[in-house]
Amino acid sequence: MAFKHLFKAQLNWTSKKEESASKFYSKTHQIKIEGKPVLDVSAAKAFKGDPDLYNPEDLLLSSLVSCHMMSYLYVCSQNGIEVLEYSDNAEATLEVNPDGSGRFTEVILNPKVKISNPDQIELALELHFKANQLCFIANSCNFPVLHNASCEIV
């Protein structure tokens, strides 16, 4: 049986008076999720946003990195692998078309995992594939999410 969960987010944006005569609107806005701190968001710098704020592209990539890690830790726990450290330096490629539309074409995750048992390195690396199959966010994307995983012993 499938379970459904509902997530809600509220977005608030207000035009600044000087923008009404301008060709460009500010991209800065707030996202509120009940019970959590307000998230200040803008467009990426390349799209005339505030470079000091998170942008939707940052948040999409962050969601993939975080979801993969949580899925990976889950499958490791199911397989008796003790993960001591996990880090990732992920990259996302966004292609923008001349008409202003665009899309992510791929994401490359670079997870570096440290485990305690040297006999489990091969399994620890293989479990990234299983984690990708379970990852809610990766399953929702229409572009490939690739992995360049490494594993060390501590």
Side-chain angles (χ1 to χ4, degrees), residues 14 22 34 54 56 88 90 94 101-102 109-110 114 118 135 141 145-146:
T14 304
S22 171
E34 188 175 329
Y54 292 106
D88 198 334
L94 175 70
S101 67
L109 303 180
N110 297 294
K114 293 184 180 180
C135 177
C141 295
V145 178
L146 310 172

Side-chain angles (χ1 to χ4, degrees), residues 1 15 17 21 28 30 50 52 64 68 88 108 122 143-144:
M1 176 189 343
S15 175
K17 190 161 182 101
T28 301
Q30 292 185 325
D50 185 336
D52 294 328
L64 278 164
H68 181 80
D88 198 334
I108 301 174
E122 187 175 322
F143 52 83

Side-chain angles (χ1 to χ4, degrees), residues 2-81:
F3 296 98
K4 291 186 180 184
H5 300 274
L6 178 64
F7 293 86
K8 295 181 179 184
Q10 176 186 8
L11 184 140
N12 293 310
W13 174 88
T14 304
S15 175
K16 294 179 177 56
K17 190 161 182 101
E18 64 275 5
E19 290 176 341
S20 59
S22 171
K23 183 177 169 181
F24 298 101
Y25 288 105
S26 167
K27 308 293 193 301
T28 301
H29 57 282
Q30 292 185 325
I31 296 178
K32 295 179 182 178
I33 298 172
E34 188 175 329
K36 298 177 183 178
V38 172
L39 187 60
D40 291 314
V41 181
S42 189
K45 182 179 178 182
F47 307 113
K48 300 182 178 23
D50 185 336
D52 294 328
L53 299 179
Y54 292 106
N55 60 64
E57 296 82 8
D58 291 335
L59 298 173
L60 178 68
L61 180 58
S62 299
S63 294
L64 278 164
V65 170
S66 181
C67 190
H68 181 80
M69 183 204 69
M70 289 185 279
S71 298
Y72 182 76
L73 293 175
Y74 170 75
V75 296
C76 283
S77 70
Q78 297 295 304
N79 285 274
I81 295 178

